[in-house]
Amino acid sequence: MTGGTRTGIGWDSHRLTPGAPLILGGVTLTHPDGLGLDGHSDADVLTHAVIDALLGAAGLGDIGEHFPDTDEAFRGADSLALLRESVVRAAAVGWRPVHIDTTVMMERPKLKEHRAVMRSRLAAAVGLEDGEVNIKASTGEGIGFVGREEGVAALAVVTVTPVA
Ligand SMILES: [Zn+2]
């Protein structure tokens, strides 16, 4: 079926570990205790959730199928580059993103001062205006793996429309 829009959902989480970089939406943040995200690529949990949502909307499976963590090519990979490649793959099957909404679940640091830059970087990676990308912040209220600062999680919803 062609025409109309589709939506996809994405979820990701990564472990917080001492000494690793904390990259969200392509922006490196500083955690007050020096914690960062552990993963095969750059562990950008927010960008990974957006990639999964985009692939989902385009009916292309998930991030693990496209960029397997067993592949040395993706060790330390820039997740924004993987997002740009996902946009190309979605376009190849007839879909382009028109709107992105996200929620980052992280106890510290506060996202507020970084949110505008993260939004711009995600928007640029998928070819949208800043106003077509939204980033919300949520904490774990001290409970669960987010609240105990064992990890950071992110959710994304991406809406796609047929490539003109
Ligand atoms: Zn991930």
Side-chain angles (χ1 to χ4, degrees), residues 103-119:
T103 298
V104 174
M105 287 154 273
M106 180 172 72
E107 207 70 2
R108 297 181 302 168
K110 292 282 180 228
L111 271 192
K112 200 173 170 183
E113 64 192 84
H114 306 285
R115 192 147 48 177
V117 184
M118 291 162 57
R119 181 188 206 188

Side-chain angles (χ1 to χ4, degrees), residues 12 18-19 37 45 56 75 79 82 84 94 108 126 128-130 137 139 151:
D12 194 27
L37 296 174
V45 65
R75 181 174 296 280
S79 294
L82 303 184
R84 287 193 292 272
R108 297 181 302 168
V126 298
L128 293 177
E129 300 293 326
D130 289 6
T139 69

Side-chain angles (χ1 to χ4, degrees), residues 41-134:
S41 68
D42 65 5
D44 183 339
V45 65
L46 173 58
T47 301
H48 291 179
V50 172
I51 290 171
D52 248 358
L54 173 59
L55 293 172
L60 287 175
D62 65 32
I63 189 171
E65 294 173 46
H66 290 262
F67 311 109
D69 63 9
T70 50
D71 190 332
E72 280 303 310
F74 303 121
R75 181 174 296 280
D78 172 0
S79 294
L80 286 181
L82 303 184
L83 176 56
R84 287 193 292 272
E85 173 61 23
S86 301
V87 171
V88 171
R89 294 184 186 188
V93 294
W95 298 98
R96 68 177 177 89
V98 292
H99 182 260
I100 296 173
D101 189 24
T102 66
T103 298
V104 174
M105 287 154 273
M106 180 172 72
E107 207 70 2
R108 297 181 302 168
K110 292 282 180 228
L111 271 192
K112 200 173 170 183
E113 64 192 84
H114 306 285
R115 192 147 48 177
V117 184
M118 291 162 57
R119 181 188 206 188
S120 287
R121 294 210 178 152
L122 286 172
V126 298
L128 293 177
E129 300 293 326
D130 289 6
E132 294 162 331
V133 176
N134 192 63

